[in-house]
């Protein structure tokens, strides 16, 4: 991983998220759509969410007006490419794009439904996912293979699968893998009518009072290269993605399997692919949505996969209280966040926790930061409809140490990743 | 090229719009091909689906195509309730946008809590994969490709990549295209007619297939290229059901499921293509000048 880009409620850049996490500052705030506030609960308090600030979005230097989704994606991609280009030359023509989104350019659907007229080609193109992918690739002049996934909150991890395949099969020099979703009436009302949102508007992962999700919008990108290629052109390597497994529950259309069987299997397989065991893990990061069923499921899955000793010892943290649940961007944001932890060498605490839910039994970092005992991070991402992703990342020196002695090549199974 | 054992099936449905139907009378109103009259038995999924609940109509053609393909491959036995091992890659174009527009209309001026969750659920292209995963107990890798008219080719390409790299041993690739209502009227090729097309293919890595009976041993390659100037491939007849027309109406032309349906048809439920024979199926995105192709060759 040689480039990272993120735009969220914390602002533009990984640094803005890092600052929020260091300062334990939440960027969740009352929402207003189309000039009207949305309410939650019987007392009509304003709905809460994480909206990317206008100053972070800025104005595009040139070209036609962009929708919010495209602007978020352009900025995050631009940042990731800028970081990746700190080393030697990396021509845009040799970079591919793998993109993920749950609802795509939903702002266009909202605008069209506000002033309906007969659908035409322009409207269909603006509202279609393929139009978004096309425009994101063109915004950076990317000439490599392209793909577009929509698999709820693990969309970004599906993009990673295709990006890794394109690299492994030699189709391009580098891949920009990213994901995005924006917050608006459709997204907010959709989760509200599914009764998934927190009625208190507080995102309190693992807390006895956790009562639901608080949504945030974001775009997140990483630039992936083959390890040897990145070293050859002298690019600083921010982290190595050693393995990834993505499994579904096949349990319910919206809810997770509360026993976490697929997540348990995903963790076990991801570690096996990387040739690592629980004792190698320095830290676990999780999608902590603030939803009791997900928080408890993750606790059960980690305990089963790693055993009670490791589950009670390895520090666990999350970024979600700072910026909200980032929907499709979650998977890529998790990788960006993990790479930052590897550089920091310590694990920031989870904030907004007062008293732990007794069914959340992991070693959550509370109060003060914990040391990162080993430069290996396990990230766990959950998605709507029972999607479970487990990824293992390590610092570049650690990856070299792990795999330089003739042990299995760094990577996932036969893919050689 | 990845060598694999493949089984496929497809279902299509078309209906002329109500205006034309009214003009021409009900007698001539429906030009059906493989009209999806066969229904899935709700008791086919014991322990996986509440038989008192109808399947979501949005995805019924897809579930039907998947059920046929899985049963033909021997991966699934109706009524067994057993989980089907393997990955799932779904291609979707059209249907989710209808649901999103419907949901957007519902929420305008209303409270977020007074609207139908179903409309929101099916605004998410991944809802179809969630339902298939639930019905068949597919609990391995799952992805949904939503990339317009080339979604089907790209979904197949994604699945073939994962097989080639050993990330999966077997995978169900299922595609659903829906052009209805406002969308059908806006699509240049549809002539305003409603069309649905679903296709499903079961692919096993040759090394992992273990000589399972009945599969067609094929090698599959996928290519997607931008900037092509090639004119669209004619929409040819592809082993249609005996009662159906022998040429597909133009409204199917840009549906993303079409190339998968053509591949499924070439593999054929009853006739096996001769050893060494091959086919190349072209498909294009008319708006972005992108084209894709699927090449399949029987091992001989």
């Amino acid at each position: 991983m040689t480039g990272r880009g993120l735009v969220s409620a914390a602002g533009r850049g990984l640094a803005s998220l890092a600052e929020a996490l260091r300062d334990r500052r939440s960027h969740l705030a009352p929402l207003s759509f189309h000039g009207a506030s949305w309410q939650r609960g019987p007392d009509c308090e304003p709905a809460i969410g994480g909206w990317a600030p206008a100053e972070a979005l800025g104005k595009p230097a040139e070209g036609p007006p962009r929708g919010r989704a495209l602007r978020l994606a352009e900025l995050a991609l631009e940042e990731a490419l800028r970081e990746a280009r700190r080393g030697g030359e990396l021509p845009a023509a040799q970079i591919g794009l793998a993109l993920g989104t749950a609802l795509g350019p939903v702002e266009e659907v909202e605008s069209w439904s506000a002033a309906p007229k007969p659908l035409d080609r322009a409207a269909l193109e603006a509202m279609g996912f393929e139009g978004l992918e096309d425009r994101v690739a063109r915004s950076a002049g990317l000439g490599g293979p392209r793909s577009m996934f929509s698999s709820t909150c693990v969309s970004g991890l599906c993009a990673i699968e295709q990006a890794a395949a394109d690299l492994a099969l030699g189709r391009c020099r580098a891949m920009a893998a990213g994901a995005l979703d924006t917050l608006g009436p459709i997204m907010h009302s959709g989760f509200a009518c599914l009764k998934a949102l927190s009625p208190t508007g507080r995102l309190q992962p693992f807390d006895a009072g956790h009562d639901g999700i608080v949504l945030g919008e974001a775009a997140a990108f990483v630039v992936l290269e083959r390890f040897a290629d990145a070293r050859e052109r002298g690019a600083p390597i921010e982290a190595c993605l050693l393995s990834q497994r993505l499994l579904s529950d096949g349990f319910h259309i919206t809810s997770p399997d509360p026993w976490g069987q697929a997540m348990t299997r995903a963790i076990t397989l991801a570690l096996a692919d990387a040739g690592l065991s629980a004792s190698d893990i320095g830290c676990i990061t999780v999608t902590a949505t603030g939803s009791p069923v997900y928080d408890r499921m993750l606790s059960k899955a980690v305990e089963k996969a790693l055993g009670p000793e490791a589950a009670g010892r390895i520090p666990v943290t999350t970024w979600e209280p700072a910026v909200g649940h980032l929907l499709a961007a979650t998977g890529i944001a998790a990788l960006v966040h993990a790479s930052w932890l590897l550089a920091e060498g310590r694990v920031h605490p989870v904030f907004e926790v007062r008293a732990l839910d007794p069914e959340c039994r992991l070693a959550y970092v509370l109060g003060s930061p914990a040391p990162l005992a080993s430069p290996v991070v396990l990230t766990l991402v959950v998605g709507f409809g029972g999607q479970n992703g487990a990824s293992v990342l390590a610092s570049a020196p650690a990856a070299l140490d792990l795999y330089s002695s003739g042990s299995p090549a760094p990577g996932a199974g036969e893919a050689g990743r | 090229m990845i060598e694999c054992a493949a089984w496929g099936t497809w279902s299509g449905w078309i209906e002329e719009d109500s205006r034309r139907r009214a003009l021409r009378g009900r007698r001539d109103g429906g030009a059906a091909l493989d009209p999806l009259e066969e229904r899935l038995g709700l008791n086919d999924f014991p322990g996986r689906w509440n038989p008192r609940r109808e399947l979501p109509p949005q995805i019924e053609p897809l579930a039907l195509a998947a059920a046929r393909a899985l049963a033909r491959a021997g991966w699934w036995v109706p009524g067994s309730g057993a989980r089907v091992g393997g990955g799932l890659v779904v291609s979707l174009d059209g249907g989710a946008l209808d649901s999103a527009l419907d949901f957007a209309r519902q929420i305008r001026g209303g409270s977020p809590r007074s609207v139908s969750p179903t409309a929101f659920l099916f605004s998410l292209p991944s809802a179809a994969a969630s339902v298939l995963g639930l019905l068949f107990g597919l609990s391995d890798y799952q992805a949904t490709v939503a990339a317009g008219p080339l979604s089907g080719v790209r979904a197949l390409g994604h699945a073939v990549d994962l097989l080639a790299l050993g990330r999966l041993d077997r995978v169900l690739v299922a595609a659903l295209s829906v052009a209805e209502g406002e969308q059908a009227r806006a699509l240049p090729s549809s002539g305003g007619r409603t069309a649905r097309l679903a296709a499903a293919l079961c692919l096993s890595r040759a090394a992992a297939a273990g000589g399972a009976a009945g599969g067609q041993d094929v090698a599959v390659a996928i290519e997607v290229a931008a900037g092509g100037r090639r004119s669209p491939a004619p929409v040819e007849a592809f082993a249609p059901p005996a009662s159906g027309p022998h040429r597909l109406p133009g409204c199917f032309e840009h549906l993303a499921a079409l190339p998968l349906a053509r591949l499924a048809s070439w593999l054929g439920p009853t006739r096996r293509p001769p050893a060494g024979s091959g086919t190349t199926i072209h498909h294009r995105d008319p708006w972005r000048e992108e084209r894709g192709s699927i090449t399949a060759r029987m091992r001989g």
Side-chain angles (χ1 to χ4, degrees), chain A residues 38 161-162 171 244 265, chain B residues 112 139 154 158 161 167 288:
Chain A
W38 282 79
E161 285 284 340
Q162 185 60 54
R171 295 186 181 127
Q244 175 182 291
R265 211 155 49 93
Chain B
S139 55
R154 288 185 172 177
H158 184 56
D161 281 354
R167 298 286 286 165
R288 263 161 291 279

Side-chain angles (χ1 to χ4, degrees), chain B residues 44-92:
Chain B
D44 287 346
F45 310 100
R48 309 212 63 80
W49 189 265
N50 181 349
R52 285 171 297 179
R53 277 192 164 184
E54 290 293 316
L55 282 174
Q58 294 93 332
I59 61 100
E60 195 165 2
L62 185 69
L64 182 58
R68 286 174 178 169
L70 289 166
R72 186 174 295 160
W75 296 4
W76 174 69
V77 178
S80 72
R83 281 183 177 272
V84 174
L88 170 64
V89 180
V90 169
S91 151
L92 197 84

Side-chain angles (χ1 to χ4, degrees), chain A residues 34 38-41 102-103 109-110 112-114 119-121 124-125 127 129-131 133-134 146-152 158 161-162 164-166 168-169 171 185-195 199 244-254 262 265 273 384-385 387 412-415 417, chain B residues 48-49 56 83 89 97-98 100-101 103-105 107-118 120-127 130-131 133-134 137-149 154 157-159 161-162 164-167 182-183 185-187 205 222 224 226 285-288 290:
Chain A
H34 298 309
W38 282 79
Q39 282 88 41
R40 62 185 160 84
L103 267 178
V109 178
E110 286 156 357
W112 189 88
S113 71
L119 270 182
D120 56 13
R121 169 184 162 168
L124 280 177
E125 263 203 292
M127 291 190 272
F129 287 40
E130 67 278 17
E133 169 210 355
D134 194 36
R146 300 206 312 255
S147 50
M148 183 77 187
F149 295 92
S150 182
S151 297
T152 65
C158 293
E161 285 284 340
Q162 185 60 54
D166 287 332
L169 295 167
R171 295 186 181 127
I186 290 184
M187 192 69 87
H188 190 82
S189 305
F191 278 88
C193 72
L194 290 170
K195 304 195 186 322
Q244 175 182 291
R245 282 289 176 156
L246 190 49
L247 300 175
S248 62
D249 290 338
F251 174 80
H252 190 269
I253 299 177
T254 57
R265 211 155 49 93
D273 285 344
F384 189 67
Q387 301 294 318
E414 295 172 37
R417 281 171 244 163
Chain B
R48 309 212 63 80
W49 189 265
R83 281 183 177 272
V89 180
L97 181 56
D98 283 335
L101 288 168
F103 189 70
R105 288 191 189 104
I107 60 174
R108 287 206 70 79
S111 155
R113 293 183 189 276
S114 66
V115 292
S116 153
T118 307
F120 174 67
L121 201 56
F122 285 94
S123 302
L124 298 164
S126 54
S130 293
V131 176
L134 178 58
L138 290 155
S139 55
D140 208 320
Y141 178 78
Q142 198 176 96
T144 298
V145 176
R154 288 185 172 177
H158 184 56
D161 281 354
L162 297 179
L165 293 168
R167 298 286 286 165
E182 292 160 286
Q183 277 198 73
R185 285 190 287 277
L187 286 168
R205 211 155 51 103
I222 313 294
V224 177
D285 179 336
W287 292 347
R288 263 161 291 279
E290 280 191 326

Side-chain angles (χ1 to χ4, degrees), chain B residues 77-276:
Chain B
V77 178
S80 72
R83 281 183 177 272
V84 174
L88 170 64
V89 180
V90 169
S91 151
L92 197 84
D93 61 315
L97 181 56
D98 283 335
S99 293
L101 288 168
D102 182 30
F103 189 70
R105 288 191 189 104
Q106 286 184 33
I107 60 174
R108 287 206 70 79
S111 155
R113 293 183 189 276
S114 66
V115 292
S116 153
T118 307
F120 174 67
L121 201 56
F122 285 94
S123 302
L124 298 164
S126 54
S130 293
V131 176
L132 289 189
L134 178 58
L135 286 175
F136 301 106
L138 290 155
S139 55
D140 208 320
Y141 178 78
Q142 198 176 96
T144 298
V145 176
L150 288 181
S151 298
V153 176
R154 288 185 172 177
L156 188 60
H158 184 56
V160 167
D161 281 354
L162 297 179
L163 291 171
L165 293 168
R167 298 286 286 165
L168 292 172
D169 283 337
R170 64 186 202 177
V171 58
L172 170 68
V173 184
L176 175 64
S177 295
V178 179
E180 292 182 336
E182 292 160 286
Q183 277 198 73
R185 285 190 287 277
L187 286 168
S189 57
S190 77
R193 286 178 296 185
T194 288
R196 287 186 209 154
L197 184 64
L201 290 154
C202 295
L203 303 175
S204 298
R205 211 155 51 103
Q216 310 284 33
D217 296 333
V218 298
V220 180
I222 313 294
E223 185 192 348
V224 177
R229 298 283 174 216
R230 189 189 299 251
S231 60
V235 183
E236 296 162 354
F238 50 93
S243 59
H246 286 262
R247 249 186 119 74
L248 284 173
C251 58
F252 279 90
E253 193 175 339
H254 301 309
L255 300 186
L258 179 61
L260 269 62
R262 294 176 73 186
L263 178 58
S265 178
W266 181 74
L267 291 167
T270 53
R271 59 177 180 83
R272 183 189 174 96

